[in-house]
Amino acid sequence: METEHKSAKRGSQSERQEHGDQASEGAGKLYVVATPIGNLGDISARALAVLAQADLVAAEDTRTTGHLLAHHGIVAKLVALHEHNERERAAELVARMRSGKTIALVSDAGTPGISDPGALLVARAMEAGIMVCPIPGANAAIAALSAAGLDAPHFLFYGFLPVKPAGRRAALASLRELPYALVFYEAPHRVTECVADLAATLGGEREIVIARELTKLFEAIHRCRLDQAGAWLAADPNRQRGEFVLIVSGAPEQKQQGLPAEAERVLRLLLAELPLKQSAALGAAITGARKNELYQRALAMRDGAEEE
Ligand code: SAM
């Protein structure tokens, strides 16, 4: 394919070497192509070139992808690959790539394999020594994060929470202490109950960003305290419609109260054998705790001020 040859020519010797090592001789290729999450213009020139030139486009829903391709004037041979047939289809598609065919994998929206089918085909292709190339583009989680305005250097992408309330609350409880922004996908008919569980489990004082219908006509991004989000959704039924990404700010940092348990233990042992000042100095060297803090604590221990 032209796209591939051009990029290979531009790539460094080591990049070319790496690609050469990965691919089986004479085999085709698997392109994992991101498509728009709403606005049909959100697709890269490279993605369009790959889709136009692939021997086969494996699509989650051939009608949805057919519509996208028609919009861009692309005629392609489509084959369905979705969660119900991925296993059998993957074997068939790998056989075709082994015989030299190039396949472009797309999902209904955004990046394949991200809360969407695709991972199995990619794994099978890799096992067969077929080169796999991502063609990056739209993704709802990243689009929402980019416009969330949260000071979140780290985030955890969770995707869809369990559908049943008990499972959802258990999943949320396991995330409660994490100091990372949490990113969820949610369906419109569950968004209200999901937001109520987020507030109840994670704490109402945290911030939430509700990103709805991104890149579409009724796009809306609302940021508020988690305990105010339910009222905001309820105030207008339109706010509960469409597709949602929910982002919750990370757990607030726990301020360490007193000395870490290990420093406390070491100090006690040292104090049993050594004078106070020496215990604090040695304790600092052993545990990395501050000497002065250890000294103060040692004083309190000596004076019996602490609760034993
Ligand atoms: N693979 C996709 C991606 O890269 O983002 C995600 C597919 S997942 C099946 C669909 C979910 O993504 C929706 O239920 C919604 O939570 C989120 N989503 C997709 N498009 C969206 C949009 N335009 N605005 C907000 N959320 C969206």
Side-chain angles (χ1 to χ4, degrees):
M1 285 181 63
E2 205 190 328
T3 324
E4 181 257 324
H5 287 311
K6 275 186 190 155
S7 64
K9 269 182 208 149
R10 277 198 298 268
S12 69
Q13 182 62 41
S14 63
E15 277 168 346
R16 268 175 275 158
Q17 190 70 50
E18 205 178 304
H19 271 202
D21 286 348
Q22 270 180 10
S24 286
E25 203 63 26
K29 245 184 183 189
L30 176 63
Y31 287 96
V32 184
V33 184
T35 58
I37 55 167
N39 188 318
L40 293 184
D42 289 336
I43 186 159
S44 72
R46 189 166 169 234
L48 291 175
V50 164
L51 289 169
Q53 292 170 52
D55 294 305
L56 205 56
V57 175
E60 190 181 2
D61 182 329
T62 52
R63 276 172 312 174
T64 306
T65 302
H67 178 57
L68 172 74
L69 296 181
H71 177 84
H72 291 285
I74 293 172
V75 180
K77 200 168 163 208
L78 288 156
V79 58
L81 179 134
H82 43 70
E83 56 176 334
H84 305 296
N85 73 353
E86 195 174 3
R87 203 160 286 276
E88 311 86 73
R89 247 314 123 76
E92 191 187 307
L93 295 178
V94 165
R96 292 207 196 194
M97 288 186 280
R98 272 195 157 134
S99 70
K101 300 286 183 212
T102 290
I103 293 179
L105 168 70
V106 296
S107 62
D108 278 357
T111 303
I114 309 297
S115 297
D116 261 344
L120 191 93
L121 176 61
V122 169
R124 295 286 175 274
M126 284 176 165
E127 285 157 20
I130 289 156
M131 195 191 287
V132 179
C133 302
I135 308 292
N139 167 256
I142 297 298
L145 271 164
S146 73
L150 290 174
D151 182 17
H154 309 290
F155 68 87
L156 184 143
F157 172 69
Y158 194 91
F160 290 102
L161 283 159
V163 169
K164 291 191 180 148
R168 185 166 55 228
R169 285 173 207 149
L172 288 173
S174 74
L175 304 172
R176 186 170 39 215
E177 309 300 334
L178 297 177
Y180 317 123
L182 303 172
V183 185
F184 303 102
Y185 285 165
E186 193 48 280
H189 57 280
R190 269 191 299 270
V191 72
T192 301
E193 56 181 282
C194 177
V195 161
D197 280 345
L198 288 172
T201 317
L202 301 178
E205 72 292 345
R206 281 160 81 160
E207 274 190 295
I208 183 167
V209 174
I210 302 175
R212 180 179 150 254
E213 291 290 87
L214 294 172
T215 78
K216 302 187 209 174
L217 191 59
F218 296 108
E219 176 180 271
I221 301 173
H222 179 74
R223 185 169 146 181
C224 62
R225 272 175 61 114
L226 202 35
D227 55 7
Q228 293 166 351
W232 183 81
L233 284 170
D236 179 351
N238 285 324
R239 292 178 181 168
Q240 300 154 37
R241 298 201 172 110
E243 298 194 277
F244 289 88
V245 180
L246 305 173
I247 308 178
V248 180
S249 60
E253 241 180 76
Q254 299 281 344
K255 276 246 181 303
Q256 177 90 39
Q257 294 289 327
L259 286 173
E262 179 60 5
E264 189 77 32
R265 192 183 71 82
V266 169
L267 185 62
R268 241 174 238 286
L269 289 172
L270 292 170
L271 268 179
E273 306 293 334
L274 299 168
L276 205 131
K277 221 170 156 186
Q278 211 179 339
S279 298
L282 259 178
I286 295 168
T287 66
R290 299 217 336 244
K291 194 163 85 183
N292 191 40
E293 248 180 273
L294 286 164
Y295 185 74
Q296 295 304 324
R297 182 69 186 127
L299 274 177
M301 283 177 179
R302 189 195 60 186
D303 297 344
E306 89 282 18
E307 273 180 37
E308 289 292 333

